[in-house]
Amino acid sequence: MWWWLLVAFLAFAVIVTGVFVWQRATRVTAQRIYDELVAFEPDIAKDQLIARGYAYGGRADYGWRTVDDDEFPTYNGPDEAPIDAFMNDVRAGRESVLRLVVDGVGPSRNAGTDTASDGVSVRILWFDPTADADWADKDDPRQPATIHHDGQGQIREWWWRDGEIVVSDKRFSRAIQRDDGYAYKTYVLRHQPAIPSDPDSTSTVIVAYDENLYSLGSGSD
């Protein structure tokens, strides 16, 4: 009898160990996302990225959201289904990763340039339900900072273009805002700036850089 108990125990141990190893191998981490992006060839094509499982995130288009000296485009004509599935996961508090390939330059361009539609950009969004959602708000150096404690869960973002990562681990609220206008609707990611070491200093200004997730309606494919 003890022999069968020993066999059963060993089988259980193997199963538990296998599950643990599998979870570690497939677990989403910032380092895994970074390694995935830096492994891309600088001239990788949109079709190659789609063949690897990236969804089409739309075309970077005019109708820009201007923030400071950067301008953030709208992304028109995306593959809605995977984006909406990601949004549903975020609302439900479920860990989720969204991999997108975008026609044009994202997430921003220098003001006054006309390179919005050139090339291909890659965008990865990871909703991390374990991330600490504390953030700071301070647009006037004469006033103290406001610190927001929003529990757990943030959207984390990476952008890749022309062989380099141009945005690394930018943080957004899990609340995705919908902005409706004439004949269009746009979903906006709300930036949650990190709390600086001295948030109340008169030399500290904290600027929220919101970004568009995608847009439907006027100008869309």
Side-chain angles (χ1 to χ4, degrees), residues 7-194:
V7 170
F9 174 77
L10 291 174
F12 177 75
V14 168
I15 292 171
V16 170
T17 302
V19 169
F20 176 75
V21 171
W22 178 83
Q23 286 179 334
R24 283 187 59 87
T26 59
R27 184 165 60 93
V28 181
T29 66
Q31 186 63 51
R32 287 183 184 276
I33 292 173
Y34 184 90
D35 291 345
E36 177 180 336
L37 291 173
V38 298
F40 287 150
E41 304 85 355
D43 59 349
I44 193 169
K46 180 175 72 174
D47 291 345
Q48 292 175 289
L49 288 161
I50 291 175
R52 296 188 188 188
Y54 280 71
Y56 181 55
R59 181 185 64 250
D61 243 338
Y62 293 93
W64 300 78
R65 168 186 286 267
T66 302
V67 181
D68 204 14
D69 292 328
D70 292 325
E71 295 180 348
F72 292 84
T74 55
Y75 302 101
N76 293 311
D79 182 357
E80 296 175 57
I83 300 177
D84 289 343
F86 174 77
M87 292 167 62
N88 289 336
D89 285 340
V90 171
R91 293 189 183 106
R94 294 187 295 265
E95 183 176 53
S96 190
V97 177
L98 177 64
R99 292 174 169 85
L100 299 173
V101 53
V102 170
D103 276 324
V105 175
S108 63
R109 62 172 191 173
N110 293 327
T113 64
D114 294 314
T115 58
S117 60
D118 293 344
V120 168
S121 300
V122 172
R123 184 184 207 178
I124 295 183
L125 295 169
W126 168 30
F127 176 66
D128 180 1
T130 67
D132 188 5
D134 294 347
W135 61 287
D137 180 20
K138 177 180 167 68
D139 56 7
D140 185 341
R142 297 166 297 180
Q143 300 296 323
T146 301
I147 309 300
H148 303 268
H149 302 283
D150 290 346
Q152 299 293 114
Q154 283 189 325
I155 298 170
R156 304 169 67 171
E157 179 192 68
W158 285 258
W159 278 95
W160 175 97
R161 183 172 64 249
D162 297 333
E164 65 176 312
I165 294 175
V166 293
V167 170
S168 182
D169 205 1
K170 184 175 177 180
R171 304 299 183 97
F172 298 96
S173 166
R174 63 185 290 179
I176 298 173
Q177 176 181 322
R178 174 172 161 174
D179 288 346
D180 290 351
Y182 177 72
Y184 72 88
K185 62 181 178 182
T186 300
Y187 294 96
V188 179
L189 299 174
R190 305 304 304 271
H191 183 213
Q192 290 187 327

